[in-house]
Amino acid sequence: MAADMSKNRLRWDLKPEDIKTRTDELIKQSKAVYDGVGAVKKEDVSYENVILALANNDCESSVARNVLDFPQHTSADKAVREASTEADKKLSDFDVEMSMRQDVFDNLVAIQDKKDVVDKMKPEAKRYLEKLIKYGRRNGLHLPKDVQDKVKALKKRASDIAIDFNKNLNDENTILEFAEDELAGVPDDFLKRLERNEGGKCKVSLKYPDYFPTMKKCRMPETRRKMETAFNSRCIEENSKIMEELVEIRQKLADLLGYPTHAAYILELRMAKDPDTVATFLKDLALKLRVLQDDELKTFLEYKKEECEKYGLPFENKINYWDMRYYMTMAEEKRYSIDHNKLKEYFPLEVVTKGLLEIYQELLGLKFEEIQKPAVWHEDVTMFSVTDKATSEFMGWFYLDLFPREGKFGHAACFGLQPGCLLSTGDRQMAIAAMVANFTKPTSDAPSLLTHDEVETYFHEFGHVMHDILGQTDLAHFSGTRVERDFVEAPSQMLENWCWEAESLRRMSSHYKDGTPIPDEMIEKLVKARNANAGLFNLRQIMLGTFDQTIHTRAKADTRSIYAKVSDEILRIPATPGTNMCASFGHLADGYDAQYYGYLWSEVYCMDMFYSRFKKEGIMSPKVGQDYRKYILQPGGSIDAMDMLKNFLGREPQQESFLLSKGLKV
């Protein structure tokens, strides 16, 4: 079945004034729905005039909203980005207003009390009703009006400043300048593509394609120190203040709503349930990893001493933040004979993209087709349709926006743009998602070559894209990736495993010059090196998760000193004086507050899924792929994640595969 472009309700040609006008229109339309639901007399409430009315509004308003607030992350036009940011603030304030509607909440409770109505509802609709009532109570709608007003004001303030936090990061454009000899050790292709100033010095930005090659390969400690200091000082003044105000606001809200801490408030709705469970999980894992970390740091110090003697540099008997990635890379190269510069020659972007898309199509029983001359927000963006291979049923579209540009979102992420759900007509709305990344852009004389880390990132984020598109829920509220936050990473993390399997690596690699396949010996070395630096890598994740829990279990937080303390205690590497990584820790302003632990928590499930099914039955097994699609991706958030896991695994999840994947003995 050919893709019917009329089912794509998105558009990317709005001017700043259009965004402003449409924002006001959307608020007016959506408010009319809430007014209508709130005005129903208690004795007249029904599934149609309350539940369905709100669900239809979710579907309609989410698409209209994404057209307005997504451009802040991707538009090349600064005026459009600013208008989009303002739209996001206005719509977020409106969301707070609507979430505090006492009349709507009372009518939801009235429906719940009507057993005859509830009994006729589908399980997904019942779940929706239960969630909306729970959200209402968590917003304080069972509390006195004066308390509700305080909650509303605090939520609006938190929303506005969180948007500012991320806008500051997107707008950040620091450039450092170095002579070529100050960049000794970096790859030649990287050095060649850097712009020069009038004096011939290289201009190096803090964007990922510049930052990571410098930190991993530049052998000049002073250059790395300057880069790391600048990187972890991005937006330091404005964003440190914002994060510390967010911490205060979040705790004030927890106090008003009767929770001991913000973390306790957040975790109530997560798989982990409470802060004690998270703290125990992180501490236990840290203890297990300590033996690996001790060995790694000892090795790094030996390498550092050798380097200092070789190049006549002073040796201080410690590893600094600006040393960490450099010696991690060196350890991989020395211990496992991996040459990352040579390796990336086998990962040209177009080859990786072709192989990745083929693997996903085969594994999940899909067919992707590139749309020619699509309507997109930038010339770099490509667009594909997705259909089911067996039935030819049309499933949706995805966009790929893979290269950096000024003002663009600086990390890699998937944005759900049109939820897959039922429209008010009963027809299915097609899902649309965008993957946004910052890989090196190819030029006329240099291809885009991905590091293996970037290949893994590509697989991970595209996993989220598939989750968004293959979810088959009735309601927008549960579409795609709208699952528990400490499970949402698991489906994507599981798919990262294909980046460590010889069969799949061969399918997405070939030498950029002559197309020769990646040598078997190189694949073997890469696979063996999977647990290189596992101690430090995972303790860094534990440190970030612990930092997040620490600031969200107190009334005020000096983020700089808390970060320095947890870094010393857990990572055993001192934070660089004058920096504050927290000022660029976008997750904590963007919905991951008190939930960063979820990256490691969900790995327990992803490794269990991979080793128990795919590794046993075949990594390209269509049967396991279909089960994965049916039991993990298709339900969206319409059932609990634990039930999805049991359905796919045929048993309760276990931790053994996770621990083995970290190089730990079980």
Side-chain angles (χ1 to χ4, degrees), residues 27-40 42 54 93-109 132-133 135-137 139-142 145 148-149 151-152 155:
I27 287 171
K28 188 179 171 187
Q29 288 161 4
S30 201
K31 185 175 182 298
V33 174
Y34 280 91
D35 288 346
V37 170
V40 178
K42 283 202 178 35
L54 291 171
D93 283 355
F94 173 71
D95 287 345
V96 173
E97 287 280 351
M98 294 306 100
S99 72
M100 302 292 291
R101 288 283 295 251
Q102 188 74 51
D103 51 354
V104 173
F105 176 72
D106 290 344
N107 277 347
L108 288 165
V109 173
L132 293 181
I133 291 172
Y135 300 152
R137 293 208 169 103
N139 284 331
L141 292 178
H142 58 301
K145 179 78 168 64
Q148 289 184 31
D149 289 342
V151 169
K152 192 188 292 185
K155 277 179 165 271

Side-chain angles (χ1 to χ4, degrees), residues 543-558:
M543 183 260 292
L544 294 175
T546 303
F547 169 77
D548 174 27
Q549 291 294 307
T550 304
I551 66 172
H552 288 120
T553 47
R554 57 184 62 203
K556 287 186 177 223
D558 177 345

Side-chain angles (χ1 to χ4, degrees), residues 470-488:
L470 298 177
Q472 292 286 292
T473 57
D474 291 349
L475 306 177
H477 189 82
F478 298 121
S479 67
T481 56
R482 296 183 192 191
V483 298
E484 293 98 316
R485 186 49 71 94
D486 50 3
F487 179 71
V488 72

Side-chain angles (χ1 to χ4, degrees), residues 5 128 181 218 472 544 552 621:
M5 292 305 286
Y128 182 54
D181 60 354
C218 177
Q472 292 286 292
L544 294 175
H552 288 120
S621 160

Side-chain angles (χ1 to χ4, degrees), residues 130-131 133-140 142 254 257-278 484-486 549 593-595 597 640:
E130 287 162 11
K131 295 271 185 196
I133 291 172
K134 189 159 211 169
Y135 300 152
R137 293 208 169 103
R138 285 167 58 81
N139 284 331
H142 58 301
L257 296 167
Y259 291 83
T261 62
H262 177 65
Y265 170 76
I266 289 288
L267 294 170
E268 180 185 50
L269 297 186
R270 304 297 173 253
M271 294 179 85
K273 299 301 180 202
D274 59 68
D276 287 345
T277 304
V278 174
E484 293 98 316
R485 186 49 71 94
D486 50 3
Q549 291 294 307
D593 42 301
Q595 299 161 90
Y597 75 93
D640 287 348

Side-chain angles (χ1 to χ4, degrees), residues 52 56 421-429 474:
L52 195 57
N56 287 339
C421 59
L422 297 183
L423 292 158
S424 57
T425 58
D427 295 327
R428 177 157 287 281
Q429 175 168 277
D474 291 349

Side-chain angles (χ1 to χ4, degrees), residues 283-439:
K283 277 177 190 160
D284 286 355
L285 187 54
L287 277 172
K288 291 185 173 96
L289 290 163
R290 193 65 74 200
V291 63
L292 301 181
Q293 180 198 31
D294 289 343
D295 178 53
E296 288 158 14
L297 284 173
K298 183 168 166 264
T299 303
F300 290 2
L301 279 171
E302 287 167 8
Y303 292 163
K304 185 172 181 176
K305 192 175 181 194
E306 281 173 26
E307 280 246 311
C308 289
E309 286 169 1
K310 184 177 177 181
Y311 297 112
L313 299 165
F315 174 64
E316 34 166 14
N317 194 26
K318 69 171 185 177
I319 296 297
N320 300 295
Y321 258 80
W322 60 86
D323 295 324
M324 190 167 79
R325 290 188 189 275
Y326 181 71
Y327 290 109
M328 284 172 97
T329 305
M330 189 179 286
E332 287 180 29
E333 292 174 350
K334 288 196 172 190
R335 283 189 162 185
Y336 299 94
S337 307
I338 286 184
D339 181 342
H340 281 283
N341 287 342
K342 189 74 190 152
L343 186 62
K344 74 178 185 180
E345 291 179 5
Y346 289 92
F347 291 125
L349 178 67
E350 67 274 16
V351 173
V352 174
T353 300
K354 182 173 179 289
L356 176 145
L357 296 180
E358 284 173 0
I359 288 167
Y360 271 96
Q361 287 173 92
E362 186 177 322
L363 190 65
L364 298 173
L366 301 168
K367 185 182 177 191
F368 303 154
E369 283 188 67
E370 186 167 356
I371 306 294
Q372 300 305 314
K373 297 182 182 172
V376 289
W377 53 89
H378 191 272
E379 60 186 10
D380 289 346
V381 180
T382 52
M383 183 183 182
F384 293 78
S385 64
V386 182
T387 50
D388 182 276
K389 204 171 188 175
T391 65
S392 297
E393 182 190 356
F394 180 60
M395 309 299 293
W397 292 271
F398 62 86
Y399 300 97
L400 299 177
D401 182 357
L402 303 179
F403 308 119
R405 54 183 176 269
E406 191 164 331
K408 182 183 160 183
F409 177 79
H411 304 276
C414 167
F415 293 82
L417 298 174
Q418 185 169 292
C421 59
L422 297 183
L423 292 158
S424 57
T425 58
D427 295 327
R428 177 157 287 281
Q429 175 168 277
M430 295 302 143
I432 308 178
M435 180 184 156
V436 177
N438 286 275
F439 301 138

